[in-house]
C-alpha cells in the first residue's frame, strides 16, 4: 500500500519538477535589454504630482511629466522645459522662455498656457501651500513665454519648478471642470516627460515606456522602466539579489544596505537625497509642563547621546543632524550648539528648573511616542531614551500606536509629551522647514504643522524675512540666526539625517545622484554598452 | 468499489447510501432544500452583522484616512483635511455613515477607495482570482499530501516513518506562516534560486497562453508551498488519527478475513470512512487559509485579497477593508454551507435541523 502511494507521489513530483525546470529555461527574461526593473514599498494613489506630494507619486510623475527646470548635484537650476529664465530687478517678475518643440504624449504642443494652468492648479491644490503662495498671476504673452508675477520676492520659486514639485499638466486634458484631485487623467496621465505610462495595476506595478517625441533629442536612453510595488523589505532585497529587480531607488533600512554593500554585483549610493532632506528628530510638546520650561528641554538634549544612537543603534551609517535645515542644503549650518553628551549639565539644568530628584531618584515622568513602522529609526531610539533619561531622573514610558493615523492623531492634537518624528525639508526652507517653527502654523489636527506649539516672534520674523530675501548670502545669514535660536530653545532635538540609499545593479550607468535623485527624470540612465 | 460490510453495527464508519435511500431520496431532497434555505437566511443575517460590526470596529480606532492621505503627501492644511473628510463623508455622524454604507452595499455598491480613487468592487474583483487560485491549489495539494502522509503513517503507527510524519506535522503546524515563507524565500530565492519570490507573473516577460500559465505556476510555487506545509500538517494528523480509529473497527477485520488485499482494505474501506472528518476540515480550513493568505500574499507580493487587506488596514481605506471583509465572510459562509450540504449528501445519518458535525 505504501508502495502504491509513494509511487504515485514520486511520479507527481517528478512531473512537476520537469515542468518547472523546462518552464524556468523558457521563461528566463534578460532584464538588461533596455529595461530597468525597480522595486519600491511606496504605494502611489495616482500619478499627478501637481496635487499630490510624496515620493510614491514623484517617482513616476517625474518620468511622465516634464517641468520648467531641473537641478544638478550642486543645487544649480538647469534648463528643462524652460530653456531660459530671468528675474526682474525687483525680484517680483520671473520670465520663462519655453523650448519650442516640446510636445505632450498625445502630440499636442506644450505652451505657456499649460504652465499658467499648472501653477494655478498647484497653488490651489498642493499641500505645500507656501510653495507658490507668492504667485499673484501668470501672463502668457506668447505660446512660449510665461511671465510669473509675484506679490513678494520668492527665492524658493526656482526650486519649486523642479520635476517633483511642478509637473507641467496639459491644460487641454485637465481643464474640464472636474475636481482635479479625482480627475480620471490622474490614473491615465499625459505628460511631456521622457516616459509615458503604458500599464498600471493599482498597488502592484506600473510600466513606463520610452516617449519617442521627447523634446530632448536622443533621450531617454532606456526603452522601458517597470516599477514593482513590493510591500516587504526582505522580499525586495532578495529580489534584487536574485536578479528579479535591477534597483531599489529609495531604501532606508541600514541593516539591509550593509548587506547589499557586500554584494559585488550591486552599486550602493547615498547621493541624490539632499533635496528631500529628511531629518529624524525628537520633538517636544512645548506647551505641556514640564516641557514648557526651556531648561528641561535643554537638559534632555544634553542627556541624549547622539553619537551612541548613530554609531550603535544606526550602525554608523547615518549622518548626524544638528539643526533644522538638513546638512545637504547650501543653507545648512553646523555652527550651533551640538549638545554633546553631558549628564552633569543635564542634571544641573533640571535642578535649576525646579525639578529636584525625589527619594526614589526620580524627578518626573514623560511619555515618548514614535511613528509605527519606523522601527529602526524611531522605535529603537524611543526605547533607548527610556534607559538614558532615567540617568537624569526622568522616568520615560514608550507609548506605541496601532498605526500611522493613530499616532498622527495623537501628535497633531497635542496629546503627547515627546515624540520621535521624521520630517522632510523638501529642498527649500520655505517649503519644508518654516512650517515646523512658525507660530502661525500651530493648527490642531494637521500633521507636520507646528505640532510642538513652538512660538517665538523673533523666529517668525527671521523666517518671514528669509523667505523673501533674494540675496543668497543675506538669506543664509538669516537662516543661520534662525537655526541658532531654534537649537538653543530646543522645541526639537535633531538626531540624524534619514539614511536614504539607492541600490542598483552594476552595469547601470548615470544612476540618479542629483539633489532630487530618483525623484527626477531618468532620461540619461542606461545599461552599459546599450 | 468497496463492499458494504457490517452494516448493522456501524456507529462510527459511514457508508455511501444505497440508491433511493437517505439524502438521495425525494424526502431527503426536500429536507435538504429546507435546511439550505434556513442556512441561507442565517447567512444573510450573519453577513449583515459582519458589515455593521466591522464598520463600528474600524471606525472606533483613533485617527482617520484623511491623516493617512496627508501623511502620504508629507503635509497638509486644515482646508485640505476638511475637504478630504467632506469628500468621503467622514464628517458625518457614525450611525448615518453606517446607514449609508449598508444601503449602498445592499444595492451592490461597495463604495469608492479613499486611497486609490477607484471603485472598491473593481479593486476587489481583480484580486479575487489570484487568492482563489492560490487557496484552492494549496488546499487541494495540502489535503492530498496530508492524507497520504497520514495514511502512510497509520499503516505502521510505530515505525520510524510514522514518527517522521508526526515530527513533520508538528513542525509544520507549529511554524508561523510568515517564518516558513521567509525561510522558503531565503532557500529558493537566494541559496538555490529556482523560483521567483515575488508577484504572480513576470511583468517584464509579457508571457501569453501556456507560457503565462507556467509562469504563474512558477510564481505560485513558494507561496503555495508555505500554505501547504502548514495545512498538510493538520490534514496528516487528522488522517492518521481517523485511519487508526477506523482500522481498529470490526468491519476492517471482516474485510481482512475475506482475504482482501491490504491496499484494498486501506484505500477502499478504511480511508473511505476516514475521509469524513477530513472533508469537514477542508471546508473549515477555508477561513484560516484566507487569514493565512494575508501574511503569505504580503510576504510574496501575491496580488490577492490578503495583500489588499493588509495594505488597506495600514491606510485606513475603510471602504476597501469593509468590502474585503464582506467578500471573505461570504466566501467562508459559502464554503461552510457547501461543506454542510455535502456532508448531508454523503452521510445520510445527518438529519435536517440537527446541524452537521461541522458545527
Amino acid at each position: 500500500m505504501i508502495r502504491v502511494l509513494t509511487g504515485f507521489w514520486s511520479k507527481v513530483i517528478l512531473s512537476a519538477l520537469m515542468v518547472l525546470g523546462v518552464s524556468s529555461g523558457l521563461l528566463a527574461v534578460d532584464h538588461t535589454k533596455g529595461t530597468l526593473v525597480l522595486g519600491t514599498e511606496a504605494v502611489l494613489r495616482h500619478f499627478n504630482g501637481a496635487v499630490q506630494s510624496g515620493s510614491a507619486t514623484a517617482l513616476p510623475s517625474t518620468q511622465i511629466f516634464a517641468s520648467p527646470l531641473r537641478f544638478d548635484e550642486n543645487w544649480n537650476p538647469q534648463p528643462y522645459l524652460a530653456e531660459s529664465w530671468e528675474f526682474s530687478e525687483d525680484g517680483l517678475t520671473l520670465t520663462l522662455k519655453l523650448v519650442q518643440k516640446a510636445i505632450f504624449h498625445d502630440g499636442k504642443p506644450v505652451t505657456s498656457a499649460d504652465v499658467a494652468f499648472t501653477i494655478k492648479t498647484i497653488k490651489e491644490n498642493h499641500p505645500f501651500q507656501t510653495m507658490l503662495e507668492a504667485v499673484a498671476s501668470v501672463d502668457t504673452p506668447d505660446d512660449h513665454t510665461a511671465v510669473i508675477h509675484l506679490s513678494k520676492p520668492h527665492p524658493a520659486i526656482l526650486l519649486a519648478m523642479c520635476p517633483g514639485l511642478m509637473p507641467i499638466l496639459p491644460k487641454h486634458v485637465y481643464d474640464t471642470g472636474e475636481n482635479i484631485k479625482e480627475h480620471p487623467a490622474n490614473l491615465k496621465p499625459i505628460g511631456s516627460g521622457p516616459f509615458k505610462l503604458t500599464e498600471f495595476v493599482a498597488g502592484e506595478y506600473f510600466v513606463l515606456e520610452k516617449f519617442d517625441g521627447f523634446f530632448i533629442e536622443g533621450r531617454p536612453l532606456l526603452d522601458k522602466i517597470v516599477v514593482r510595488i513590493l510591500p516587504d523589505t526582505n522580499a525586495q532585497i532578495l529580489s534584487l539579489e536574485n536578479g528579479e529587480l535591477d534597483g531599489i531607488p529609495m531604501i532606508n533600512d541600514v541593516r539591509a544596505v550593509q548587506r547589499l554593500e557586500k554584494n559585488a554585483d550591486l552599486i550602493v549610493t547615498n547621493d541624490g537625497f539632499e533635496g528631500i532632506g529628511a531629518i529624524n528628530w525628537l520633538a517636544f510638546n512645548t506647551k505641556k509642563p514640564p516641557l514648557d520650561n526651556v531648561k528641561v528641554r535643554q537638559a534632555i538634549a544634553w542627556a541624549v547621546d547622539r553619537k551612541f544612537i548613530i554609531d550603535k543603534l544606526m550602525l554608523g551609517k547615518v549622518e548626524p543632524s544638528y539643526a533644522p535645515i538638513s546638512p545637504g542644503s547650501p543653507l545648512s549650518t553646523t555652527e550651533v550648539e551640538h549638545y554633546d553628551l553631558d549628564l552633569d549639565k543635564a542634571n544641573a539644568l533640571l535642578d535649576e528648573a525646579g525639578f529636584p530628584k525625589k527619594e526614589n531618584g526620580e524627578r518626573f515622568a514623560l511619555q515618548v511616542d514614535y511613528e509605527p513602522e519606523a522601527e529602526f529609526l524611531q522605535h529603537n531610539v524611543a526605547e533607548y531614551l527610556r534607559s538614558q533619561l532615567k540617568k537624569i531622573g526622568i522616568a520615560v514610558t514608550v507609548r506605541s500606536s496601532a498605526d500611522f493615523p493613530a499616532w498622527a492623531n495623537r501628535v497633531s492634537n497635542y496629546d503627547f509629551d515627546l515624540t520621535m518624528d521624521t520630517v522632510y525639508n523638501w529642498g527649500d526652507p520655505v517649503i519644508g522647514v518654516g512650517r515646523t517653527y512658525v507660530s502661525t502654523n500651530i493648527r490642531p489636527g494637521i500633521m507636520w504643522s507646528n505640532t510642538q506649539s513652538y512660538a517665538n516672534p523673533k523666529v517668525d520674523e527671521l523666517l518671514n524675512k528669509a523667505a523673501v530675501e533674494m540675496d543668497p548670502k543675506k538669506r543664509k545669514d538669516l537662516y543661520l540666526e534662525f537655526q541658532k535660536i531654534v537649537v538653543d530653545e530646543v522645541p526639537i532635538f535633531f538626531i540624524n539625517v534619514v539614511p536614504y540609499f539607492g541600490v542598483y545593479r552594476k552595469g547601470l550607468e548615470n544612476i540618479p545622484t542629483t539633489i532630487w535623485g530618483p525623484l527626477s527624470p531618468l532620461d540619461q540612465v542606461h545599461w552599459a554598452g546599450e | 468499489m468497496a463492499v458494504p460490510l457490517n452494516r448493522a453495527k456501524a456507529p462510527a464508519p459511514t457508508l455511501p447510501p444505497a440508491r433511493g435511500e437517505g439524502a438521495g431520496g425525494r424526502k431527503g431532497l426536500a429536507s435538504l432544500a429546507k435546511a439550505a434555505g434556513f442556512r441561507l437566511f442565517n447567512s444573510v443575517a450573519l453577513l449583515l452583522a459582519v458589515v455593521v460590526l466591522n464598520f463600528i470596529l474600524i471606525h472606533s480606532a483613533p485617527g482617520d484616512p484623511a491623516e493617512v492621505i496627508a501623511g502620504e503627501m508629507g503635509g497638509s492644511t486644515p482646508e485640505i483635511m476638511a475637504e478630504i473628510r467632506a469628500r468621503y463623508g467622514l464628517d458625518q455622524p457614525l450611525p448615518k455613515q453606517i446607514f449609508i454604507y449598508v444601503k449602498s452595499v445592499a444595492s451592490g455598491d461597495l463604495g469608492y477607495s479613499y486611497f486609490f480613487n477607484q471603485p472598491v468592487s473593481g479593486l476587489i474583483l481583480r484580486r479575487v482570482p489570484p487568492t482563489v487560485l492560490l487557496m484552492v491549489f494549496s488546499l487541494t495539494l495540502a489535503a492530498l499530501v496530508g492524507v497520504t502522509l497520514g495514511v502512510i503513517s497509520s499503516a505502521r503507527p510505530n515505525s520510524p516513518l510514522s514518527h517522521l510524519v508526526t515530527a513533520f506535522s508538528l513542525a509544520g503546524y507549529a511554524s508561523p506562516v510568515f517564518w516558513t515563507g521567509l525561510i522558503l524565500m531565503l532557500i529558493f530565492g537566494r541559496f538555490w534560486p529556482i523560483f521567483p519570490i515575488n508577484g504572480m507573473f513576470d511583468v517584464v516577460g509579457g508571457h501569453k497562453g501556456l507560457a503565462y500559465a507556467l509562469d504563474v505556476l512558477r510564481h505560485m510555487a513558494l507561496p503555495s508551498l508555505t500554505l501547504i506545509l502548514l495545512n498538510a500538517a493538520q490534514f496528516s494528523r487528522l488522517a492518521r488519527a481517523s485511519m487508526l480509529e477506523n482500522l481498529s473497527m470490526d468491519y476492517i477485520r471482516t474485510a481482512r478475513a475475506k482475504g482482501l488485499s491490504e491496499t484494498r482494505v486501506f484505500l477502499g474501506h478504511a480511508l473511505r470512512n476516514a475521509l469524513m472528518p477530513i472533508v469537514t476540515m477542508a471546508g473549515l480550513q477555508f477561513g484560516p487559509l484566507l487569514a493565512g493568505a494575508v501574511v503569505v500574499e504580503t510576504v510574496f507580493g501575491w496580488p490577492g485579497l490578503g495583500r489588499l487587506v493588509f495594505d488597506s488596514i495600514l491606510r485606513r481605506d475603510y471602504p476597501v477593508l469593509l468590502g474585503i471583509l464582506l467578500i471573505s465572510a461570504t466566501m467562508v459562509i459559502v464554503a461552510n454551507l457547501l461543506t454542510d450540504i455535502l456532508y448531508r449528501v454523503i452521510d445520510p445519518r445527518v438529519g435536517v435541523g440537527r446541524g452537521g458535525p461541522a458545527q
Side-chain angles (χ1 to χ4, degrees), chain A residues 1-2 4-6 9 19-20 23-24 26-27 29 31 35 37 43-46 51-56 125-129 179 181-182 187 200-205 207 224 226 228-232 234-236 238-239 241-242 244 259 373 403-406 408-409 412-413 426 435 443 445-448, chain B residues 62-64 67-81 83 87-88 114-118 123 126-127 141 144-145 148 151-152 155-156 182 185-186 189-190 193-199 201-205 207 211 214-215 217-218 262-263 266-267 298-299 301 303 307 311 313-316:
Chain A
M1 193 276 305
I2 291 176
V4 173
L5 288 173
T6 47
W9 277 108
V19 168
L20 289 171
S23 65
S24 297
L26 279 176
L27 302 172
V29 176
H31 285 187
T35 300
V37 186
V43 182
L44 78 164
R45 300 182 68 211
H46 58 72
V51 296
Q52 170 85 35
S53 60
S55 59
N125 297 282
H126 200 282
F128 299 164
Q129 289 287 291
N179 180 346
K181 289 179 183 166
E182 291 172 0
L187 295 173
F200 170 53
V201 179
E204 304 297 334
Y205 67 90
V207 180
K224 199 193 255 189
V226 177
R228 297 182 55 193
I229 298 158
L230 305 170
D232 187 88
N234 293 312
Q236 259 192 66
L238 281 168
S239 299
E241 288 174 332
N242 78 357
E244 284 182 57
R259 183 170 121 195
E373 292 184 68
D403 57 9
F404 177 82
N409 194 268
S412 65
N413 289 300
W426 287 112
R435 58 181 173 162
R443 303 173 188 215
I446 307 300
M447 198 53 218
W448 296 313
Chain B
D64 69 15
E67 271 151 349
V68 179
I69 294 168
E72 292 289 324
M73 297 195 291
S76 190
T77 63
E79 296 75 31
I80 290 178
M81 296 292 274
E83 189 222 309
R87 199 190 315 156
Y88 298 121
Y114 300 156
F115 192 84
F116 288 118
N117 277 323
Q118 291 181 36
L123 279 171
R126 201 169 44 235
R127 283 167 172 81
L141 270 181
L144 283 171
V145 171
T148 307
V151 170
I152 288 174
R156 293 192 192 105
L182 286 175
M185 195 182 260
L186 205 61
R190 185 150 190 237
I194 54 166
F195 293 119
I197 54 177
N198 263 309
F201 56 89
D202 189 342
V203 182
V204 183
H207 303 297
L214 286 173
D215 191 32
L217 202 62
R218 282 178 66 230
E262 267 305 284
T263 306
F266 258 77
L267 303 183
T298 306
V299 169
R307 189 176 147 192
D311 290 342
I313 289 170
L314 294 182
R315 288 185 211 122
R316 295 288 183 91

Side-chain angles (χ1 to χ4, degrees), chain B residues 4-311:
Chain B
L5 296 164
N6 204 10
R7 190 162 234 190
K9 293 164 66 182
T14 53
L15 297 163
R19 196 176 289 275
E21 284 180 21
R26 196 170 293 164
K27 193 180 159 194
L29 270 178
S31 65
L32 186 66
K34 196 177 158 193
F38 183 66
R39 274 316 189 86
L40 206 63
F41 174 76
N42 272 353
S43 304
V44 172
L46 195 58
L47 276 180
L48 185 69
V50 164
V51 169
V52 173
L53 271 176
N54 280 328
F55 196 97
I56 294 169
L57 272 177
I58 291 168
H59 285 74
S60 308
D64 69 15
E67 271 151 349
V68 179
I69 294 168
E72 292 289 324
M73 297 195 291
S76 190
T77 63
E79 296 75 31
I80 290 178
M81 296 292 274
E83 189 222 309
I84 295 170
R85 291 194 174 110
R87 199 190 315 156
Y88 298 121
L90 296 163
D91 52 351
Q92 301 293 319
L94 193 60
K96 191 173 173 192
Q97 287 187 46
I98 296 179
F99 179 74
I100 293 170
Y101 183 73
V102 172
K103 208 172 118 188
S104 65
V105 166
S107 65
D109 178 11
L110 292 179
Y112 218 67
S113 162
Y114 300 156
F115 192 84
F116 288 118
N117 277 323
Q118 291 181 36
V120 169
S121 47
L123 279 171
I124 292 180
L125 279 179
R126 201 169 44 235
R127 283 167 172 81
V128 169
T131 295
V132 169
L133 176 69
L134 180 63
M135 284 173 64
V136 171
F137 183 80
S138 307
L139 195 61
T140 310
L141 270 181
L144 283 171
V145 171
V147 169
T148 307
L149 289 177
V151 170
I152 288 174
S153 76
S154 70
R156 293 192 192 105
N158 291 315
S159 68
L161 184 67
S162 174
H163 293 313
L164 194 71
V165 170
T166 306
F168 159 79
S169 304
L170 286 175
Y173 191 56
S175 307
V177 69
F178 70 89
W179 182 85
T180 311
L182 286 175
I183 293 296
L184 287 176
M185 195 182 260
L186 205 61
I187 296 170
F188 294 107
R190 185 150 190 237
F191 300 122
W192 190 32
I194 54 166
F195 293 119
I197 54 177
N198 263 309
M200 187 175 162
F201 56 89
D202 189 342
V203 182
V204 183
H207 303 297
K208 299 264 187 298
L210 180 65
Y212 175 78
L214 286 173
D215 191 32
V216 171
L217 202 62
R218 282 178 66 230
H219 280 80
M220 197 162 58
L222 294 185
S224 62
L225 187 56
T226 308
L227 288 172
I228 288 167
L229 283 176
L230 173 75
N231 290 287
Q234 299 181 50
F235 279 111
S236 80
R237 295 295 299 159
L238 189 67
R240 185 177 186 273
S242 186
M243 280 296 286
L244 286 176
E245 191 191 344
N246 274 284
L247 285 169
S248 64
M249 296 281 175
D250 289 345
Y251 74 96
I252 294 292
R253 192 171 57 227
T254 310
R256 281 183 176 136
K258 279 175 68 184
L260 295 180
S261 71
E262 267 305 284
T263 306
R264 190 133 185 221
V265 170
F266 258 77
L267 303 183
H269 291 261
L271 179 62
R272 198 182 170 88
N273 283 307
L275 275 180
M276 287 300 290
I278 294 163
V279 169
T280 310
M281 192 170 112
L284 290 178
Q285 276 303 91
F286 208 72
L289 201 65
L290 202 60
V294 174
V295 182
V296 171
E297 288 181 3
T298 306
V299 169
F300 290 101
W302 188 260
L305 279 179
R307 189 176 147 192
L308 188 63
V309 84
F310 177 78
D311 290 342

Side-chain angles (χ1 to χ4, degrees), chain A residues 372-384:
Chain A
E373 292 184 68
E375 280 298 310
F376 190 77
L377 281 173
Q378 297 189 16
H379 189 187
N380 287 355
V381 181
E383 292 292 346
Y384 158 78

Side-chain angles (χ1 to χ4, degrees), chain A residues 295-344:
Chain A
K295 287 182 180 167
V296 172
R297 302 199 298 267
Q298 286 169 340
I300 292 173
W302 284 113
V304 177
D305 189 356
R306 186 192 283 111
K307 195 169 177 330
F308 176 86
I309 295 174
I310 290 174
D311 290 347
K312 305 295 177 193
L313 298 184
M314 304 201 181
L315 312 173
K317 298 204 75 66
V318 304
E319 267 184 79
S321 163
Y322 302 106
I325 299 180
S326 179
S329 164
L331 298 167
S332 68
T333 183
T334 54
E335 293 167 30
V336 289
E337 184 60 70
H338 284 198
Y339 295 103
D340 293 327
L341 179 70
D342 190 337
L343 292 177
D344 293 339

Side-chain angles (χ1 to χ4, degrees), chain A residues 136-450:
Chain A
S137 62
V138 182
D139 285 345
T140 52
D142 65 55
D143 274 358
H144 295 99
T145 307
V147 183
I148 303 164
H149 298 287
L150 304 167
S151 57
K152 56 186 178 186
H154 185 36
I157 194 165
L158 292 183
L159 210 88
M161 292 193 166
C162 70
L165 298 172
M166 194 180 283
I168 296 301
L169 307 174
K171 185 172 187 280
H172 64 275
V173 172
Y174 278 96
D175 197 11
T176 53
E178 287 167 272
N179 180 346
I180 193 130
K181 289 179 183 166
E182 291 172 0
H183 201 285
N186 291 348
L187 295 173
K188 290 178 181 164
I190 290 172
S192 54
F195 295 93
K196 55 186 182 183
L197 182 77
T198 54
E199 202 180 344
F200 170 53
V201 179
E204 304 297 334
Y205 67 90
F206 54 86
V207 180
L208 304 166
E209 284 182 24
K210 177 181 184 168
F211 173 44
D212 291 326
F214 185 51
F215 62 93
I216 301 178
E217 222 155 281
R219 294 194 205 158
L221 302 173
L222 287 170
D223 295 328
K224 199 193 255 189
I225 300 175
V226 177
V227 180
R228 297 182 55 193
I229 298 158
L230 305 170
D232 187 88
T233 313
N234 293 312
Q236 259 192 66
I237 291 159
L238 281 168
S239 299
L240 187 62
E241 288 174 332
N242 78 357
E244 284 182 57
L245 294 178
D246 301 318
I248 305 175
M250 282 179 87
I251 181 169
N252 64 13
D253 182 336
V254 295
R255 278 181 215 284
V257 168
Q258 209 172 32
R259 183 170 121 195
L260 294 170
E261 275 176 337
K262 292 178 190 149
N263 189 326
D265 296 330
L266 301 173
I267 313 162
V268 178
T269 177
N270 61 355
D271 290 333
F273 302 99
E274 295 82 1
I276 58 170
I279 307 178
N280 195 41
W281 69 41
L282 176 68
F284 298 82
N285 186 345
T286 65
K287 285 284 170 281
K288 196 171 177 186
L291 297 169
D292 55 346
N293 187 328
V294 68
K295 287 182 180 167
V296 172
R297 302 199 298 267
Q298 286 169 340
I300 292 173
W302 284 113
V304 177
D305 189 356
R306 186 192 283 111
K307 195 169 177 330
F308 176 86
I309 295 174
I310 290 174
D311 290 347
K312 305 295 177 193
L313 298 184
M314 304 201 181
L315 312 173
K317 298 204 75 66
V318 304
E319 267 184 79
S321 163
Y322 302 106
I325 299 180
S326 179
S329 164
L331 298 167
S332 68
T333 183
T334 54
E335 293 167 30
V336 289
E337 184 60 70
H338 284 198
Y339 295 103
D340 293 327
L341 179 70
D342 190 337
L343 292 177
D344 293 339
K345 200 177 249 180
N347 276 313
L349 277 166
L350 289 174
D351 290 338
E352 268 176 51
F355 297 99
K357 278 190 179 172
K358 294 175 209 154
E359 277 179 13
N360 61 0
E362 229 177 67
R363 296 175 195 270
F364 51 82
L366 290 175
Q367 197 163 243
V368 60
D369 288 271
Y370 62 95
E371 193 179 334
E373 292 184 68
E375 280 298 310
F376 190 77
L377 281 173
Q378 297 189 16
H379 189 187
N380 287 355
V381 181
E383 292 292 346
Y384 158 78
L385 291 176
R386 177 161 40 193
S387 59
Q388 184 65 10
L389 295 186
K390 197 176 175 185
K391 293 177 185 167
I392 56 167
I394 302 176
V396 173
T397 47
V398 177
R399 180 170 66 165
S400 57
S401 302
D403 57 9
F404 177 82
W407 170 77
N409 194 268
R410 284 168 166 169
V411 176
S412 65
N413 289 300
Y414 317 120
D415 170 23
F416 74 104
D417 299 332
L418 309 167
T419 185
M420 290 299 300
D421 199 354
T422 298
V423 181
Y424 294 61
N425 273 196
W426 287 112
D428 193 279
V430 169
I431 303 169
V433 177
R435 58 181 173 162
T436 311
Y437 310 95
V438 72
S439 63
T440 49
N441 201 30
I442 302 173
R443 303 173 188 215
I446 307 300
M447 198 53 218
W448 296 313
S449 57
N450 183 348

